[in-house]
Structures are given as C-alpha cells and as structure tokens.
Amino acid sequence: MNMFGLYLFSNQVISGVGEIGYIIVYFASLIAGSLLSFYFHKNEYHYTAVGASGAVTGVLYSAILLGPELKYYFMFLPSHIGTIDLGIKGYLLGIGYLLYTIYAMKKKSDNIGHDAHFGGAVGGYVLTIAMASWLLTDNLLITALLAAPIIILFVMRKTGKI
C-alpha cells in the first residue's frame, strides 16, 4: 500500500516543490513520523515499529496541501452515480484521515503505527509550507483547516486525552 500511495501522490508533490523538495519531504516525513512515534511510546520498551508509512503519509499530506481542490476517488467504488460525483476533495480527505488517525491512536486496537502516520503528515505539512510559502497567501483558509487536526492532537496530548 505504501508503494501504491507513492505512485498516486508523488507527481503532485514533485510538481509543487520539485524533485529535491520531494526527496526532502519524503525523508523528513520519515524522521518526523519516527520522532512522533518515539514521543508517544518512549516508555513502552516492548513497542516496535518498522516501515516507511510516515514518509508516505508526509507525501500524501504534501500532495493534498498543494492540490486541496483535487478530487480523490476510492477503488472499487463508482466515481459517479447518475449526475452525482462521488469524489472527495483533497482537503476533506486530509482532515478526515488525520481525525481518524487521532481516533485510532486513542483507541489502540490494532498494530498500525498511526502515530508514525500522523508525524509524517506533520512533516509533510511543515516542509511543504516552508518550500511553497505561496500556500499561505493563495490558500490560507484551507492551509489553516489542514492544520486543525495537528493542533487537536497536540491539545489532546497536552490535556492527557491521548
């Protein structure tokens, strides 16, 4: 799934921040995902994690930030029913995904590194804004909306709710 995610979202990021910027987003998101995972599990000596899903989620969130109005469709579902378009705009997908990730982090009912996904998304978000600062003027509202789940997570952590 990670490779499929890279296939789907890499071109959007390369178009927005260039090839070197893409590599920076990828590796910095990998590190950010690992650091957030460490932050949440530093006292759990039995905890292990492996994979590049934080990096992939950073690329995904970067792509959404660069093209928030693009529509995404889900495999095995029709794209239209009559005249109704079933695509979901990127910024809604991004916000919904991170809100679900917060829920999954809180629930702790599977063996998925949701915290690494979230950390990767934070890395992708921050680095994309650093490399494409025009987003703050051209898409300020959507850029702020995409930051909302990030703020929610850290407020929940600070208040002990996660």
Side-chain angles (χ1 to χ4, degrees):
M1 289 309 293
N2 282 341
M3 293 303 106
F4 187 61
L6 285 178
Y7 172 76
L8 292 175
F9 299 105
S10 291
N11 285 336
Q12 179 74 16
V13 178
I14 291 168
S15 294
V17 297
E19 292 173 355
I20 300 299
Y22 170 81
I23 291 169
I24 292 168
V25 167
Y26 180 88
F27 283 107
S29 295
L30 178 67
I31 292 167
S34 297
L35 289 174
L36 190 68
S37 184
F38 177 72
Y39 174 72
F40 275 95
H41 301 284
K42 64 184 169 212
N43 295 322
E44 299 173 32
Y45 301 107
H46 65 280
Y47 184 82
T48 59
V50 65
S53 55
V56 175
T57 307
V59 170
L60 165 83
Y61 220 65
S62 178
I64 288 171
L65 190 57
L66 291 163
E69 295 293 330
L70 294 176
K71 287 194 174 181
Y72 295 92
Y73 300 88
F74 295 94
M75 292 177 11
F76 310 113
L77 294 176
S79 61
H80 291 80
I81 296 179
T83 59
I84 301 171
D85 183 353
L86 297 178
I88 184 168
K89 289 190 177 186
Y91 71 94
L92 294 174
L93 176 66
I95 293 166
Y97 177 73
L98 285 191
L99 290 175
Y100 165 75
T101 301
I102 292 170
Y103 167 78
M105 288 170 67
K106 187 174 170 119
K107 191 170 179 186
K108 297 181 183 179
S109 65
D110 56 24
N111 290 323
I112 296 172
H114 296 288
D115 41 16
H117 294 166
F118 202 98
V122 172
Y125 179 85
V126 169
L127 286 162
T128 302
I129 289 175
M131 289 186 274
S133 59
W134 55 266
L135 292 167
L136 295 172
T137 55
D138 291 1
N139 288 326
L140 181 59
L141 177 61
I142 290 176
T143 302
L145 287 172
L146 286 166
I150 297 168
I151 295 166
I152 289 169
L153 175 72
F154 287 102
V155 168
M156 288 178 72
R157 179 66 177 189
K158 191 76 170 166
T159 59
K161 294 183 180 179
I162 194 165

